[in-house]
Amino acid sequence: MTPELEFNIPADDVPERVTLFADVILPLPLPKLFTYRIPHEMGDEVLVGARVLVQFGAKKVLSCVVARVHENPPKEYQAKYLLEVIDEKPVVTAPQLRLFNWMAEYYLCTLGEVINAALPSALKLSSESKIQLHPQFHQETNEWPLTAHEEKIIFALRQKPHLTFTEVGQLLQLTSFHKIIKSLLLKDIIIIYEEIAEKYAPKVVKKVRLAPMFTTDEATLEELFNQLAAKPKQLDVLLKYVQLVPLLQELAANEEGIEKNLLTSNPHLSLSAINTLLKNGVLEQFDRVVSRFPLAEGRGPYLATELSADQAAARDQVLDFFGEKDTVLLHGITGSGKTEVYIDLIQKAVDAGGQVLYLLPEIALTAQIVTRLKRVFGDRLGVYHSKFSDNERVEVWNGILSGRFQVVVGVRSSVFLPFHSLSLLIVDEEHEPSYKQHDPAPRYNAREVALMMAQFHSAKVLLGSATPSIESYYHCLSGRWGLVNLLVRYGEATLPTVELVDTRQESLRKNMLSHFSQRLVHDIEDTLHRKEQVILFQNRRGYAPFIDCNDCAWIPKCRNCAVSLSYHKFSNELRCHYCGYTERKPNDCPACGSTMLKTVGFGTEKIEDELKLLLPEARIQRMDLDTTKRKNSHQQIIEDFELQRTDILVGTQMVTKGLDFEHVSLVGILSADSIIHYPDFRAHERAYQLFVQVSGRAGRKGNKGKVLIQTANPNQPIFQRVIENDYQGLYEQEIAERQKFRYPPFVRMIRLTVKHPEARPCENAAILLAKDLVDRLGRTGVLGPEAPHIFKIRNQFLQEIHVKLDRESGNLKYSKSQIQEAVFHLLQNKDFKQLRVVVDVDPN
């Protein structure tokens, strides 16, 4: 036996091994972070912002993000060890972590909910603990005594290569079986492993190339051609390959080869001949990882933007304001060319080495904008929205981390991306409600989050709109933000003429053709005769809002929600637009048996259907939620309209938002009254914005446009403001009313929605919560509770409480903490076990 060596090391020179701990953000709605112990061998590998694997609870293994590394063990529990480090570098940046913490605090949700929303699902790992027999275990030579439970597990593992923890519990019929697994581990009888499914998968293409032995010189290649002369099908494949890969000019080109489908998808080449060449070693197949966003060929020169004198002046004003303010609002009327100003400012930011985030409210807008931006920024441009696959979103995420993408165009979820040198954020159509996330938490507004992002990155924010939100315009006039006006349309274009059609009078004169006035039909025909295009706006999808029985007035209702079912003719079904419940349209009334069922009202599907009868020669397309579910459907509809393959585009709000069509000279708004008469303090503001935005699609390229608004009450004051494009008048009226009745921007609003499967407990809980809030915050700031207009959704009864907090009081943080405590206190009440309370900060 080798004697043990002794070393006399002074005590002061013995390195003290420090135990490190990591606070991690689990993608779960948990109020606190959890602390895990870092194994000594991983001490240098665990980085803030990187993902690690941890065991959570008895069975779950989760990936999470490291928020902090420190030396303080938790006092409340024994810290478990981290299982594995996933990332060598952080995938979440320091400014992101600051932003996520702010979002959790401001929107009254948990940090886990924010990280769950922020990370693409492909960056979240899924796992389940499994056990298998140790490769060196042999029962004949085993010296350890075994219990009956241990023998049962070993026998099961001889029949099956592995067992999950769940299967072990079912096998032993025990809820606590971890001591048995630990015993088998100590005896080296089993091993535990985590079968982690890394959801992100790089894109791999199959490629082929000529075997290297045939590319050494021309003589070898010529000999191959001679050998295949008697095999014409194989020779055709080889000739095609040589045509695609210039072997004789550059032998190195063969190393990269070509994608296999270039050969296999060619109808003139024999698939069996290709496989024979692969089998005989003439061609060889290999895999290559490629980007889902291939680089544009020839990285420049990129097209520069040319600004008009008005646009250049607006650009210069924006830059001047950026010298003293972090946020500027560009109030540019529809068709004024705000996008060109944006592009010029983006170019300046990119040239200075910064990154830019260009936010849009709808996926429908990205197709047009991306086409324009690609011409300028080429492969430096990334696109991010929910219609992308998980893998595509991860590629954009990684592309931003690596610096490949300097400019990103995206919808509201883009605020979560890992920018490291962000210098400019552009929020186009900043007034849009689409920037607000409603469910699930965090219920954030991307515009407000963009303002905080700018603070954390020391970046500038440019908000743009033809119809700014009342709150944003107020901030400008109060001096907080800069205001730049661009009130002239680009080039020779002029604002369209807006005219009203009184549908009540038209009905009395029998001038209505279904839902179309004769005047609107005549103008559509005249427009199509001039080879120009039409947009028709109706803010309701489906064929009809509901059907009813002529005899007994029966109306089909949703089983889960307090709403009527909308009729969709294409699928011949009744559908709930809240929970998705569907049923077939009945042939007779279930209540009285009558066959006199009729549709009431109209949606985009009915407009499309009736237009085809009125104008059979017209090419009509519809753009709403039903027709844009597929990934590229938005882009295809817009492209068809741009290329004049469509004459009339019928749509919901999707057609109102920033789309630029050269040949549109007529816009029709079919049912304006339903938009104005809505129970919300923003109703008139939203109606004005919708009317002006959809009107702005007409007459953008020099031709005079016309807008026809069908209404049963043309004396509504808001119509005159639309006709005169009088935003200032709307603002002055709205701001006076909001100040008088204490609405934003003078207060901050928080809506608490109490949900319960039964009506009475829901009402009782809401009353208790409101009383608690009054005790904490005072009577003047708490409104309700009351049942909303739609008082039941997805089998949950609803009650709402609104809290108004003075913006200038300075106690917003304290007030929010009081709201959280009141909600927590209510949820502890044993009488309300099935209760849920949803807190929505700044609802819209």
Side-chain angles (χ1 to χ4, degrees):
M1 181 178 288
T2 306
E4 189 170 322
L5 300 178
E6 293 184 3
F7 296 94
N8 293 319
I9 302 175
D12 292 344
D13 294 338
V14 177
E16 184 178 350
R17 203 158 67 164
V18 177
T19 300
L20 295 176
F21 296 87
D23 294 340
V24 301
I25 310 170
L26 293 160
L28 301 170
L30 302 170
K32 296 181 180 179
L33 302 183
F34 276 76
T35 303
Y36 285 82
R37 186 171 179 175
I38 302 175
H40 291 293
E41 63 272 16
M42 296 183 190
D44 296 331
E45 300 174 22
V46 178
L47 303 174
V48 172
R51 292 173 302 157
V52 294
L53 280 179
V54 300
Q55 183 174 347
F56 183 71
K59 302 175 184 177
K60 287 185 179 177
V61 172
L62 300 171
S63 66
C64 51
V65 174
V66 178
R68 194 165 72 98
V69 176
H70 54 87
E71 299 177 14
N72 307 314
K75 296 179 181 178
E76 299 84 1
Y77 53 89
Q78 184 72 29
K80 297 178 182 178
Y81 279 98
L82 292 182
L83 299 180
E84 190 176 336
V85 177
I86 300 172
D87 303 308
E88 295 180 1
K89 296 180 180 179
V91 295
V92 176
T93 65
Q96 275 183 293
L97 286 174
R98 290 180 65 193
L99 180 69
F100 296 166
N101 275 291
W102 174 83
M103 290 181 71
E105 181 181 298
Y106 184 83
Y107 290 107
L108 299 180
C109 63
T110 67
L111 195 52
E113 288 172 316
V114 177
I115 209 77
N116 191 47
L119 288 181
S121 58
L123 284 180
K124 303 168 197 172
L125 305 183
S126 59
S127 69
E128 187 174 12
S129 301
K130 295 185 177 183
I131 63 171
Q132 68 179 46
L133 286 174
H134 197 294
Q136 297 177 352
F137 170 71
H138 299 287
Q139 192 145 10
E140 301 78 17
T141 58
N142 174 52
E143 299 176 357
W144 295 101
L146 298 173
T147 66
H149 285 317
E150 290 173 341
E151 288 183 343
K152 199 169 187 178
I153 292 174
I154 293 171
F155 178 79
L157 286 173
R158 292 194 182 281
Q159 313 304 314
K160 188 178 178 181
H162 56 74
L163 295 172
T164 66
F165 276 24
T166 303
E167 290 170 333
V168 171
Q170 293 171 346
L171 175 71
L172 302 179
Q173 296 185 335
L174 295 173
T175 55
S176 179
F177 51 83
H178 295 88
K179 288 183 179 179
I180 302 168
I181 291 178
K182 186 175 181 180
S183 172
L184 290 171
L185 274 172
L186 292 172
K187 297 172 183 177
D188 286 333
I189 295 174
I190 63 167
I191 57 175
I192 294 180
Y193 69 98
E194 303 301 330
E195 189 170 82
I196 300 298
E198 173 71 75
K199 292 181 181 176
Y200 169 66
K203 184 179 180 180
V204 178
V205 297
K206 294 193 179 299
K207 304 188 84 172
V208 293
R209 61 189 168 208
L210 201 60
M213 59 183 292
F214 299 112
T215 62
T216 52
D217 56 39
E218 293 184 30
T220 310
L221 186 61
E222 189 174 342
E223 177 61 26
L224 176 61
F225 275 105
N226 292 333
Q227 292 176 8
L228 295 178
K231 302 171 182 176
K233 291 185 178 181
Q234 294 182 39
L235 185 62
D236 287 344
V237 174
L238 187 59
L239 286 169
K240 184 64 177 179
Y241 180 85
V242 174
Q243 178 187 343
L244 294 171
V245 181
L247 291 173
L248 302 181
Q249 289 81 16
E250 185 183 349
L251 292 178
N254 182 66
E255 183 68 22
E256 189 58 31
I258 61 170
E259 291 189 22
K260 185 180 179 183
N261 63 9
L262 291 177
L263 297 178
T264 55
S265 62
N266 192 317
H268 304 295
L269 300 179
S270 166
L271 183 60
S272 62
I274 297 169
N275 291 332
T276 300
L277 290 173
L278 287 168
K279 182 180 178 181
N280 293 339
V282 175
L283 295 176
E284 55 184 31
Q285 182 175 301
F286 62 101
D287 291 336
R288 182 77 78 211
V289 176
V290 298
S291 172
R292 290 180 170 83
F293 304 93
L295 298 177
E297 292 185 8
R299 291 179 53 98
Y302 299 113
L303 297 176
T305 54
E306 293 185 10
L307 302 182
S308 68
D310 293 313
Q311 290 171 330
R315 185 266 323 273
D316 293 340
Q317 281 183 277
V318 170
L319 292 173
D320 289 343
F321 269 123
F322 278 160
E324 55 186 79
K325 298 182 185 295
D326 293 330
T327 305
V328 177
L329 171 65
L330 176 59
H331 178 201
I333 63 172
T334 57
S336 59
K338 294 186 292 295
T339 304
E340 281 70 28
V341 178
Y342 299 155
I343 292 173
D344 189 82
L345 291 167
I346 293 171
Q347 184 72 67
K348 285 177 167 51
V350 169
D351 290 344
Q355 291 177 306
V356 179
L357 174 58
Y358 186 166
L359 280 174
L360 295 166
E362 291 276 1
I363 295 170
L365 282 176
T366 58
Q368 271 200 334
I369 297 296
V370 166
T371 301
R372 295 168 75 174
L373 292 178
K374 276 286 185 186
R375 299 191 196 113
V376 183
F377 301 105
D379 54 50
R380 295 176 291 180
L381 178 72
V383 184
Y384 195 83
H385 57 64
S386 59
K387 287 292 175 74
F388 274 13
S389 69
D390 287 336
N391 288 333
E392 286 172 321
R393 278 186 272 180
V394 171
E395 285 212 19
V396 176
W397 187 286
N398 292 336
I400 294 169
L401 279 173
S402 67
R404 175 187 168 188
F405 296 128
Q406 287 181 270
V407 183
V408 175
V409 179
V411 292
R412 62 173 179 254
S413 58
S414 304
V415 296
F416 294 119
L417 290 169
F419 296 98
H420 51 80
S421 58
L422 189 64
S423 63
L424 176 65
L425 296 97
I426 295 173
V427 185
D428 197 12
E429 311 292 352
E430 63 85 24
H431 65 279
E432 273 293 336
S434 304
Y435 282 122
K436 174 71 174 179
Q437 161 77 10
H438 294 285
D439 275 310
R443 295 170 179 85
Y444 65 97
N445 188 309
R447 179 188 62 196
E448 306 305 317
V449 175
L451 295 172
M452 289 306 300
M453 283 180 75
Q455 286 193 29
F456 296 142
H457 286 271
S458 299
K460 303 295 184 183
V461 179
L462 178 62
L463 308 175
S465 177
T467 54
S469 64
I470 299 297
E471 289 95 325
S472 294
Y473 206 72
Y474 173 79
H475 291 320
C476 292
L477 296 188
S478 62
R480 183 181 174 192
W481 299 348
L483 174 63
V484 176
N485 291 306
L486 185 57
L487 304 180
V488 180
R489 275 199 158 187
Y490 179 77
E492 300 177 358
T494 57
L495 286 172
T497 302
V498 180
E499 300 176 9
L500 304 177
V501 179
D502 188 337
T503 53
R504 186 175 298 172
Q505 291 298 320
E506 292 293 292
S507 295
L508 291 174
R509 295 171 188 154
K510 302 192 183 305
N511 286 339
M512 293 295 293
L513 301 172
S514 183
H515 305 291
F516 306 93
S517 63
Q518 280 191 0
R519 187 173 170 193
L520 178 58
V521 174
H522 175 269
D523 282 1
I524 291 174
E525 291 174 334
D526 190 47
T527 301
L528 299 184
H529 181 72
R530 298 195 308 269
K531 305 297 183 186
E532 294 170 351
Q533 293 171 298
V534 180
I535 289 178
L536 295 180
F537 169 64
Q538 166 64 3
N539 201 30
R540 185 183 290 275
R541 64 189 173 101
Y543 189 84
F546 60 93
I547 63 172
D548 77 348
C549 175
N550 253 358
D551 293 330
C552 73
W554 169 82
I555 297 174
K557 300 288 180 67
C558 177
R559 292 182 179 179
N560 310 314
C561 311
V563 294
S564 57
L565 295 173
S566 297
Y567 175 48
H568 289 250
K569 185 178 179 182
F570 177 77
S571 53
N572 194 35
E573 66 182 13
L574 301 170
R575 188 183 306 168
C576 175
H577 290 169
Y578 286 87
C579 71
Y581 169 78
T582 61
E583 61 182 49
R584 302 298 294 176
K585 178 179 177 291
N587 294 320
D588 49 41
C589 175
C592 70
S594 170
T595 57
M596 299 297 290
L597 299 177
K598 70 177 189 300
T599 60
V600 180
F602 61 101
T604 50
E605 187 182 2
K606 189 172 185 180
I607 293 170
E608 179 189 27
D609 215 31
E610 292 184 345
L611 276 175
K612 289 176 179 177
L613 296 175
L614 286 171
L615 304 165
E617 302 299 319
R619 296 166 297 176
I620 303 163
Q621 268 199 312
R622 176 163 49 97
M623 188 161 77
D624 56 26
L625 191 62
D626 297 322
T627 61
T628 56
K629 290 180 178 178
R630 298 188 309 276
K631 178 178 177 180
N632 295 315
S633 51
H634 282 102
Q635 188 168 347
Q636 188 60 54
I637 292 170
I638 291 169
E639 183 180 314
D640 288 344
F641 200 61
E642 278 185 319
L643 298 176
Q644 291 187 280
R645 293 195 286 254
T646 303
D647 299 316
I648 303 173
L649 182 62
V650 179
T652 55
Q653 291 187 40
M654 290 182 181
V655 301
T656 71
K657 300 171 183 178
L659 297 171
D660 187 8
F661 300 116
E662 184 175 351
H663 303 286
V664 174
S665 60
L666 177 64
V667 167
I669 299 174
L670 296 179
S671 183
D673 304 310
S674 61
I675 301 169
I676 299 171
H677 302 296
Y678 193 78
D680 186 89
F681 75 93
R682 289 192 176 95
H684 277 208
E685 176 192 6
R686 292 275 163 79
Y688 176 86
Q689 288 166 343
L690 272 174
F691 297 155
V692 170
Q693 289 288 341
V694 73
S695 300
R697 302 315 108 207
R700 297 175 71 92
K701 298 294 181 181
N703 295 329
K704 183 68 174 177
K706 180 190 282 190
V707 180
L708 289 182
I709 300 177
Q710 294 191 163
T711 172
N713 185 8
N715 296 320
Q716 284 273 2
I718 196 164
F719 291 130
Q720 197 59 36
R721 301 207 186 282
V722 173
I723 291 170
E724 296 173 1
N725 200 37
D726 182 18
Y727 175 80
Q728 193 66 36
L730 172 85
Y731 171 78
E732 290 170 1
Q733 178 184 335
E734 287 291 308
I735 204 69
E737 290 186 359
R738 294 192 189 187
Q739 186 169 23
K740 180 179 179 181
F741 297 107
R742 295 184 70 241
Y743 279 103
F746 301 101
V747 298
R748 292 188 183 276
M749 292 191 67
I750 299 175
R751 181 174 62 212
L752 294 91
T753 304
V754 179
K755 300 184 176 185
H756 196 281
E758 298 178 36
R760 183 54 62 86
C762 182
E763 186 178 349
N764 292 341
I767 292 171
L768 285 177
L769 179 58
K771 185 178 183 305
D772 194 359
L773 289 171
V774 168
D775 292 341
R776 295 169 184 268
L777 304 174
R779 175 72 264 179
T780 58
V782 181
L783 305 177
E786 62 179 357
H789 177 62
I790 300 172
F791 59 87
K792 182 185 176 186
I793 295 178
R794 297 186 179 92
N795 285 320
Q796 296 282 312
F797 288 89
L798 311 178
Q799 289 279 332
E800 289 184 348
I801 301 168
H802 286 85
V803 178
K804 293 181 178 181
L805 303 175
D806 288 327
R807 187 178 285 271
E808 306 301 329
S809 64
N811 64 349
L812 181 63
K813 190 172 183 179
Y814 169 78
S815 299
K816 287 184 175 180
S817 69
Q818 291 299 302
I819 291 172
Q820 284 182 304
E821 286 182 20
V823 171
F824 178 78
H825 183 259
L826 179 70
L827 294 176
Q828 302 309 302
N829 191 323
K830 294 181 180 179
D831 294 334
F832 306 122
K833 291 182 180 180
Q834 295 177 283
L835 191 73
R836 282 187 62 219
V837 179
V838 172
V839 182
D840 189 0
V841 179
D842 300 336
N844 65 5

